[in-house]
Amino acid sequence: MQLREAGEQVISLSVGEPDFMPDATVIEALRDAAIKGETRYTAVTGTDALRTKIAEYLTEQKGTVYKASDIVVSNGAKQAVYESILALCGPGDEVLIPAPYWVSYPEIVKMSGATPIFIETTLESGYKLQPADVKAALTPKTKMLILCNPCNPTGACLDADELRCIAKELEGTRCWVLADEIYEQLYYASFQKNQQDVVDTSSTKKETHTSFAAISPDAYARTVTINGFSKAYAMTGFRLGYLAAPAPVAAACGKIQGQITSCASSLAQAAAIAALNLPQDALDPQVAEFRRRRDYVLTRLEKIASLTGTLECPPAPKGAFYLLPDISAAFGATVGNRHISDSTTFCAALLEARKLALVPGDAFGAPSAIRISYAADQTTLEKAMDALESFLTSDLVFSS
């Protein structure tokens, strides 16, 4: 921000939000609601119309049957996460968090008085949570497992079979699952190359995300599902999320919300109904574009890795809009007068030398990595990859 204020041209792949506009019908619904005078408080947990629509979506599209009364509409999905953890966890409880993780999870857990317990995942596995690691981490104190699927910051996705294996490990325990599925509609086909080593973008095959609550009756009974409108519908500024949970949990979350913020925006709720009324294929162009961007950036990263040896790519993620390459091989190098010792100093040197802003992995529990968001137009992605390649091939100096 300081560089931009000083007139510098900064390339940024640091923002975790779509660069698309919401659908026109969403904007129109917002305007119409304002004109009609729908500008007053709603019920704390949301309007009946929106909660009913969300319940219909979850039943019809995700295979998880909820009533409108099981839904709490919140001021963004983060509030739904906070309320769920506060309702279910407290001092003496342990909450399992796969690492890398979204930065807010550990801090919210601490705010509840519970203790975050991290389960490490590996780049080689595509940062996928392994059932055996869940089993090893479970103790009598375990109260919750946070499962972000697709994952921020890795883009990793667990399919139905992988979720089923994790669910099996939780049977007979008191462990709840906070299933953060805010990116569930941003789910892509596999990354494949043809015999000429060129990325195959011809496939129109769509792959389907599976909700943890849909795995089994046991999984359903122990799950709080988090979702919202920011990512797939590009409604980040509307600040609208929701949770779906067994009735007692939903009621507790509603009481907590009543003492924090009360209801979400009445206008944003009207716009959300319009979003849920869109045809099922309305988001296909955006999903296809995100897949194309993923393929482009991953191809460039693989090339950079082969040229420099200072970057390691994960297997292609199948969701969200992030990549988390490992850059620990660059630690120990210098760029000008700056010594690179971790991902934070790496990103600072990259910004200084090439005016490219990426996010250090330290805050995500991935100190050897950097997060790249490909929620940007093609020109920006090309400039960013050129800058990263130049930085790694020309700017790093290793002492002999």
Side-chain angles (χ1 to χ4, degrees):
M1 187 66 72
Q2 290 177 338
L3 287 173
R4 282 179 170 166
E5 290 175 351
E8 298 276 6
Q9 295 296 313
V10 176
I11 309 162
S12 178
L13 297 185
S14 60
V15 179
E17 66 177 336
D19 58 321
F20 303 111
M21 282 290 291
D23 190 90
T25 60
V26 172
I27 304 297
E28 291 168 3
L30 182 76
R31 178 200 63 197
D32 291 347
I35 292 172
K36 292 176 184 176
E38 297 176 14
T39 56
R40 299 183 180 278
Y41 294 132
T42 72
V44 168
T45 54
T47 65
D48 287 341
L50 178 55
R51 293 160 73 203
T52 297
K53 200 68 188 176
I54 291 170
E56 289 174 358
Y57 170 78
L58 294 174
T59 299
E60 296 169 5
Q61 300 301 322
K62 309 306 296 183
T64 52
V65 180
Y66 291 100
K67 304 174 186 174
S69 57
D70 300 328
I71 310 298
V72 177
V73 176
S74 55
N75 294 274
K78 182 183 289 191
Q79 183 174 28
V81 170
Y82 174 70
E83 291 168 358
S84 301
I85 293 174
L86 204 63
L88 292 168
C89 304
D93 293 330
E94 295 178 349
V95 177
L96 306 183
I97 305 176
Y101 45 76
W102 183 45
V103 295
S104 293
Y105 293 148
E107 302 310 313
I108 293 174
V109 169
K110 292 175 187 176
M111 289 171 69
S112 77
T115 301
I117 304 295
F118 302 109
I119 304 177
E120 298 297 329
T121 62
T122 66
L123 179 143
E124 293 75 20
S125 71
Y127 298 111
K128 288 190 173 187
L129 180 64
Q130 302 301 309
D133 293 333
V134 175
K135 182 178 181 180
L138 288 168
T139 75
K141 294 182 178 181
T142 304
K143 191 65 181 294
M144 179 179 284
L145 166 66
I146 297 180
L147 199 59
C148 187
N149 186 40
C151 177
N152 177 7
T154 67
C157 296
L158 297 171
D159 63 27
D161 289 338
E162 292 165 326
L163 292 174
R164 198 169 289 112
C165 291
I166 292 171
K168 193 71 177 175
E169 299 296 347
L170 301 180
E171 291 179 3
T173 74
R174 67 170 193 150
C175 182
W176 287 86
V177 173
L178 184 78
D180 187 344
E181 299 178 355
I182 188 69
Y183 294 95
E184 53 97 6
Q185 295 195 64
L186 302 180
Y187 201 84
Y188 317 123
S190 299
F191 177 80
Q192 296 177 333
K193 294 184 178 181
N194 60 26
Q195 293 180 345
Q196 288 73 44
D197 201 36
V198 175
V199 176
D200 178 13
T201 58
S202 62
S203 173
T204 57
K205 179 183 177 183
K206 293 179 66 175
E207 300 191 26
T208 304
H209 171 271
T210 300
S211 286
F212 189 84
I215 290 297
S216 67
D218 182 86
Y220 177 90
R222 67 173 69 248
T223 299
V224 179
T225 297
I226 306 294
N227 209 326
F229 300 87
S230 293
K231 308 303 182 181
Y233 297 104
M235 295 168 61
T236 51
F238 290 64
R239 305 310 304 133
L240 202 68
Y242 63 86
L243 65 87
V249 178
C253 290
K255 290 180 180 179
I256 292 171
Q257 183 163 302
Q259 303 307 319
I260 301 174
T261 62
S262 193
C263 65
S265 162
S266 59
L267 303 181
Q269 292 187 61
I273 293 174
L276 290 173
N277 280 332
L278 290 170
Q280 280 306 301
D281 60 357
L283 301 179
D284 286 358
Q286 289 95 319
V287 173
E289 176 62 13
F290 276 130
R291 179 201 168 188
R292 189 196 63 74
R293 293 173 180 181
R294 177 204 65 179
D295 294 349
Y296 170 76
V297 174
L298 193 58
T299 300
R300 288 295 305 272
L301 291 177
E302 289 180 345
K303 176 189 173 187
I304 294 169
S306 68
L307 287 173
T308 69
T310 52
L311 181 146
E312 184 178 0
C313 292
K318 295 179 69 173
F321 34 70
Y322 308 109
L323 289 160
L324 198 75
D326 186 292
I327 43 84
S328 59
F331 296 171
T334 58
V335 179
N337 295 323
R338 189 182 291 274
H339 177 72
I340 296 177
S341 58
D342 52 28
S343 64
T344 298
T345 51
F346 178 96
C347 287
L350 176 61
L351 181 61
E352 186 176 272
R354 296 290 171 172
K355 303 301 183 288
L356 171 59
L358 301 178
V359 183
D362 301 76
F364 300 105
S368 297
I370 52 174
R371 192 189 75 169
I372 297 172
S373 169
Y374 50 87
D377 61 77
Q378 183 64 23
T379 299
T380 300
L381 294 178
E382 290 174 4
K383 289 180 179 178
M385 292 301 102
D386 289 346
L388 182 61
E389 181 175 329
S390 296
F391 179 75
L392 292 175
T393 56
S394 303
D395 296 342
L396 296 184
V397 176
F398 291 90
S399 58
S400 56

